[in-house]
């Protein structure tokens, strides 16, 4: 069992090894990407190399997950929660890179740097998963966001892409500024940015009703609300998802959400654990609003990408239920849900990559009668839709994901009946658009004037087969999966470092 | 000294928020975001006088990140200007629904 003493640079480096591997590798790949002249072949090579780099990082993460040592209290966590989030993020990144290779070919994009940007965004996400200090949370969010602003505007020939990128950039920067002001006020109230130290100071100095802390928490909640696209901070999501290239949209919908929720949960449960009475009601209200609005507006969409955008907003609501439960069980339910959601989202976007033509949006019209022309494509899409809906058996892991969130809400210290009821009812509503897609594919005739669907490119086929197989197989063995995920439950509150006494002048300031 | 600095930075922050919400020119909206970030920096510096150097280190991070963000953001604004010959947000309405 290794012991990491985070005050030693060597140990800190070891604890950050997977993150450093990904960042260093991304730098090398960036040089390689710009070394050669732009070409489709070079783009594919860099994409393949990026996938291998992610696989290597995944190996390092899995090693750390199974060989965890004792870690001293510090700015970086080395717990299983961090590594489980890393696993989900890296699986999503591999899928996004694979789809990206094919989508770049389809759109005639030959810039190889696109893959490197995705790697840099992923290293930011891994930093968010690891952060136990608001400073690192901020740096992780920004490393992720700045890369994704650029990715959203990847296709320079597309005016829709440029528009989506601008909206994402302006609202992203706005939300970051709000988040930062929240961090500044929390720092002002407690005198520290470390998550565990904040918790200690809040308890020791009884800062529960300090206006600085309360306003700071509210601003942090708004900032994170933007990042996870919860209602009423969701307005940007449908436009940005609609305008961005397909693989980037899948990446934003699934992987970015995973990282944002990881940081959200850790900040809330680790730093403001003592204040759960204060923030719980606010998070629960956000969850209810997000589930209701996301699912009902989703019903009105005929553009499949916009529909999936509202579906992703609705799923943010379901995930907020797990956060609102405020328990270890809620945290592991959230991880399991994120895994299921990532698999289903990337599968659905793989189908969209196949169906897309040029810059035009894919509508439900393009899906009608898909069963008669490309039966396997239709079957795969049906599996993803049922998984997103949480349908038993055919939806595989999706059903159990909802089930565990529901269980966490009902078994929380204070049972969350209202949240559980809303979750079930809005899931029924969401059947209205998920099943509509299936109905259109299997029961409508193929329009006579429709063009033939292009053959599925290799990497896209790989993503579709892998995600569909994982959804169904993990759906047969949910208990085993959950046992692994439970390892990933953050040991929040289980840290028992020596209690540090607050500086005397800190005490003098507050009395 | 601390209350004055906090009050001033809060005022700056609110001016930034109001600017983002009401102005229609992408560049001005972006400048208002920068104003918000500088209000945050001022808050950190003010608190750093009480709590020590951590707040000042945070300010350096914020400034560096803001510069990186500006580089990407202005590139995006230029990309959109090449398509639409305008940076007015009221005219940017292809994506909706």
């Amino acid at each position: 069992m290794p012991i990491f003493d985070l005050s030693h640079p060597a140990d800190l480096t070891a604890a950050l090894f997977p993150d450093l591997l990904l960042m260093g590798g991304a730098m090398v790949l960036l040089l390689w990407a710009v070394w050669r002249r732009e070409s489709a072949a070079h783009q594919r090579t860099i994409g393949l190399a990026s996938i291998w780099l992610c696989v290597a990082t995944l190996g390092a993460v899995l090693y750390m997950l199974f060989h965890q040592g004792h870690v001293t209290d510090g700015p970086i966590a080395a717990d299983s929660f961090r590594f489980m989030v890393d696993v989900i993020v890296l699986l999503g990144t591999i899928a996004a890179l694979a789809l990206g290779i094919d989508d770049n070919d389809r759109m005639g994009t030959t810039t190889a740097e696109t893959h490197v940007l995705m790697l840099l965004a992923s290293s930011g996400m891994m930093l968010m998963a690891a952060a136990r200090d608001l400073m690192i949370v901020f740096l992780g969010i920004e490393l992720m966001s700045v890369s994704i602003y650029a990715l959203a505007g990847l296709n320079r020939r597309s005016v829709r892409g440029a528009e989506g990128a601008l909206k994402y950039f302006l609202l992203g920067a706005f939300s970051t500024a709000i988040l930062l002001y929240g961090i500044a006020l929390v720092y002002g109230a407690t005198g520290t940015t470390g998550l565990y130290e904040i918790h200690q100071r809040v308890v020791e100095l009884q800062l529960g009703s300090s206006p600085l802390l309360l306003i700071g928490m509210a601003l942090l909640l708004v900032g994170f609300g933007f990042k996870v696209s919860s209602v009423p901070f969701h307005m940007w999501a449908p436009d940005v998802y609609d305008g961005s290239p397909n693989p980037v949209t899948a990446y934003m919908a699934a992987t970015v959400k995973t990282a944002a929720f990881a940081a959200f949960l850790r900040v809330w449960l680790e730093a403001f654990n003592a204040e759960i009475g204060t923030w719980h009601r606010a998070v629960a209200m956000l969850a209810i609003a997000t589930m209701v609005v996301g699912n009902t507006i989703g019903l009105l969409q005929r553009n499949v990408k916009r529909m999936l955008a509202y579906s992703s907003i609705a799923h943010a609501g379901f995930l907020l239920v797990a956060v609102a439960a405020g328990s270890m069980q809620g945290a592991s339910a959230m991880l399991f849900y994120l895994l299921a959601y990532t698999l289903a989202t990337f599968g659905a976007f793989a189908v969209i990559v196949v169906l897309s033509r040029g810059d035009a949006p894919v509508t439900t019209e393009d899906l009608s009668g898909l069963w008669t022309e490309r039966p396997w494509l239709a079957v795969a899409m049906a599996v993803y839709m049922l998984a997103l809906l949480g349908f038993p058996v055919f939806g595989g892991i999706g059903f159990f994901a909802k089930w565990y969130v529901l269980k966490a809400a009902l078994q929380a210290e204070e049972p969350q009946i209202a949240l559980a009821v809303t979750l079930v009812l809005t899931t029924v509503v969401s059947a209205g658009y998920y099943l509509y897609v299936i109905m259109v594919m299997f029961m409508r005739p193929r329009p006579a004037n429709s063009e033939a669907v292009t053959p599925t490119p290799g990497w896209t086929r790989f993503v579709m087969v892998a995600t569909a197989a994982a959804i169904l197989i993990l759906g047969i063995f949910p208990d085993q999966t959950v046992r692994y995920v439970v390892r990933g439950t953050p040991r929040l509150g289980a840290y028992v470092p020596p209690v540090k006494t607050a500086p005397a002048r800190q005490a003098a300031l507050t009395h | 000294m601390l209350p004055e600095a906090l009050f001033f930075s809060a005022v700056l922050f609110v001016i930034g928020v109001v600017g983002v919400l009401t102005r229609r020119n992408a560049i001005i909206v972006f400048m208002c975001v920068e104003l918000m970030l500088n209000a945050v920096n001022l808050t950190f510096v003010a608190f750093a006088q009480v709590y020590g150097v951590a707040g000042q280190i945070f300010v350096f991070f914020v400034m560096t990140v803001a510069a990186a963000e500006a580089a990407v953001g202005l590139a995006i604004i230029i990309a959109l200007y090449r398509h639409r010959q305008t940076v007015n947000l009221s005219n940017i309405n292809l994506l909706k629904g």
Side-chain angles (χ1 to χ4, degrees), chain A residues 380-464:
Chain A
M381 187 66 167
V383 169
Y384 308 134
M385 288 296 121
L386 292 175
L388 286 173
L389 170 60
F391 198 82
V393 186
F394 300 109
I397 190 177
F399 170 73
F400 292 101
K402 284 227 169 70
W403 168 255
Y404 285 115
V405 169
L406 203 59
K407 210 163 111 181
L410 289 175
Q411 294 181 350
E413 218 164 293
E414 195 185 323
Q416 305 298 320
I417 310 288
L419 286 177
V421 170
T422 320
L423 192 151
V424 172
L425 289 181
T426 49
T427 300
V428 173
V429 172
S430 74
Y433 53 92
Y434 292 132
L435 294 185
Y436 179 76
V437 168
I438 296 177
M439 192 273 282
V440 161
M441 285 191 304
F442 287 88
M443 295 159 113
R444 291 256 174 93
R446 191 85 184 139
N449 57 352
S450 66
E451 292 172 57
V453 178
T454 48
T456 312
W459 282 108
T460 311
R461 185 187 308 247
F462 159 74
V463 171
M464 287 200 299

Side-chain angles (χ1 to χ4, degrees), chain A residues 207-353:
Chain A
L207 294 171
S209 55
S210 145
L212 269 186
L213 185 75
L214 291 180
I215 300 173
M217 278 167 66
L219 290 171
L220 273 175
L221 187 63
V222 173
F224 275 116
F226 268 110
K227 296 291 175 201
V228 302
S229 71
S230 89
V231 174
F233 316 112
H234 68 288
M235 309 78 68
W236 58 273
D239 290 355
V240 174
Y241 289 10
D242 192 9
S244 304
N246 298 323
V248 178
T249 311
Y251 189 64
M252 287 197 282
T255 316
V256 170
K257 196 156 280 181
T258 304
F261 264 107
F264 187 51
L265 186 95
R266 199 190 280 280
V267 168
W268 248 246
L269 286 196
E270 215 165 295
F272 303 126
N273 203 0
E275 294 299 296
I276 188 161
T278 317
W279 58 261
H280 171 265
R281 184 180 292 269
V283 173
M285 268 153 56
L286 281 186
I288 290 180
T290 310
M291 286 188 285
V292 171
V293 172
N295 281 314
T296 41
I297 303 187
L299 287 174
L300 307 173
Q301 305 301 321
R302 289 296 167 264
N303 174 343
V304 181
K305 259 167 108 180
R306 287 191 87 85
M307 190 205 86
L308 285 172
Y310 280 103
S311 137
S312 110
I313 293 170
H315 284 284
F318 298 144
L319 286 159
L320 279 172
V321 173
V323 177
S327 59
M328 300 303 114
Q329 205 187 358
S332 46
M334 188 189 92
L335 282 177
F336 190 71
Y337 200 102
L338 283 169
L339 177 65
Y341 172 68
T342 301
L343 291 173
T345 305
F346 275 102
F349 274 95
V351 176
I352 294 182
V353 166

Side-chain angles (χ1 to χ4, degrees), chain A residues 148-156 161-162 164-165 244-245 248, chain B residues 76 79:
Chain A
I148 293 187
Y149 300 147
L151 278 174
L154 202 71
N155 189 351
R156 274 172 299 181
S244 304
V248 178
Chain B
I76 290 173

Side-chain angles (χ1 to χ4, degrees), chain A residues 133-156:
Chain A
D133 188 304
L134 289 174
M135 209 181 279
I136 305 205
V137 171
F138 164 68
L139 288 177
I141 287 181
E142 280 305 283
L143 183 51
M144 172 186 88
S145 302
V146 171
S147 312
I148 293 187
Y149 300 147
L151 278 174
L154 202 71
N155 189 351
R156 274 172 299 181

Side-chain angles (χ1 to χ4, degrees), chain A residues 29-243:
Chain A
L29 282 180
L30 181 61
L31 284 179
W32 186 14
V34 296
W35 193 261
R36 292 273 175 81
R37 187 190 291 269
E38 274 187 22
S39 73
H42 187 48
Q43 181 267 121
R44 293 186 83 89
T45 314
I46 296 293
L48 189 62
S50 306
I51 291 177
W52 280 114
L53 178 61
C54 284
V55 171
T57 313
L58 191 60
V61 167
L62 288 176
Y63 178 83
M64 304 273 283
L65 180 63
F66 290 108
H67 295 80
Q68 274 178 52
H70 180 74
V71 182
T72 59
D73 195 35
I76 294 292
D79 51 13
S80 22
F81 180 72
R82 166 186 165 196
F83 296 122
M84 278 306 297
V85 173
D86 284 354
V87 167
I88 301 173
V89 163
L90 286 168
L91 288 178
T93 312
I94 291 172
L97 286 166
L99 292 182
I101 294 177
D102 284 344
D103 201 60
N104 279 353
D105 268 354
R106 188 181 65 79
M107 301 291 290
T109 309
T110 52
T111 42
E113 303 90 278
T114 57
H115 304 296
V116 180
L117 274 175
M118 217 168 252
L119 293 177
L120 289 173
S122 295
S123 52
M125 293 175 193
M126 287 171 67
L127 211 54
M128 287 165 74
R132 289 192 67 221
D133 188 304
L134 289 174
M135 209 181 279
I136 305 205
V137 171
F138 164 68
L139 288 177
I141 287 181
E142 280 305 283
L143 183 51
M144 172 186 88
S145 302
V146 171
S147 312
I148 293 187
Y149 300 147
L151 278 174
L154 202 71
N155 189 351
R156 274 172 299 181
R157 286 182 295 266
S158 160
V159 60
R160 294 161 56 81
E163 197 178 306
L166 180 68
K167 283 184 178 166
Y168 192 39
F169 167 69
L170 287 180
L171 280 169
F174 181 56
S175 66
T176 304
I178 292 177
L179 188 84
L180 259 182
Y181 199 50
I183 293 177
L185 294 186
V186 169
Y187 170 68
T190 60
T192 173
T193 52
L195 295 187
Y196 191 72
E197 284 87 352
I198 291 176
H199 171 70
Q200 282 179 319
R201 301 262 170 105
V202 169
V203 173
E204 269 170 39
L205 305 172
Q206 294 175 347
L207 294 171
S209 55
S210 145
L212 269 186
L213 185 75
L214 291 180
I215 300 173
M217 278 167 66
L219 290 171
L220 273 175
L221 187 63
V222 173
F224 275 116
F226 268 110
K227 296 291 175 201
V228 302
S229 71
S230 89
V231 174
F233 316 112
H234 68 288
M235 309 78 68
W236 58 273
D239 290 355
V240 174
Y241 289 10
D242 192 9

